[in-house]
Amino acid sequence: MNPFSKAGDFMRIQRGALGLTLQQVADLAGTTRQAVAQWEAGKTAPKTNRLSALFDALRLTNAQRRELVAAFGGSDGDA
């Protein structure tokens, strides 16, 4: 199983619950739609410098932020 798939699933569900498109999340996180799609697909993890903006875009609680970081393995990803 892909180590990032749980994080990607969580992101996709949260984005859907907020009614946001991939492009809207990308704009809020300062990245591309393709990068967000890769994160949600579990193919890559966001770079550490993108996490705060991503978390804000998805309106995550502190507990959800910690859980998502753990799901991404705390690594500095590709996009």
Side-chain angles (χ1 to χ4, degrees):
M1 180 177 197
N2 184 319
F4 302 141
S5 63
K6 180 179 177 184
D9 289 344
F10 176 80
M11 287 178 51
R12 186 174 50 259
I13 291 166
Q14 183 69 11
R15 180 177 60 78
L18 295 171
L20 297 173
T21 65
L22 287 169
Q23 187 62 57
Q24 288 170 318
V25 172
D27 291 345
L28 291 167
T31 191
T32 65
R33 183 194 62 77
Q34 293 84 355
V36 176
Q38 293 287 311
W39 301 339
E40 287 189 4
K43 294 182 179 179
T44 62
K47 289 185 178 181
T48 303
N49 66 345
R50 296 269 183 240
L51 289 177
S52 182
L54 174 63
F55 294 163
D56 289 345
L58 295 175
R59 300 181 193 156
L60 301 182
T61 65
N62 286 337
Q64 289 171 319
R65 290 170 187 239
R66 285 189 298 275
E67 187 175 330
L68 195 55
V69 167
F72 278 127
S75 67
D76 193 8
D78 298 334

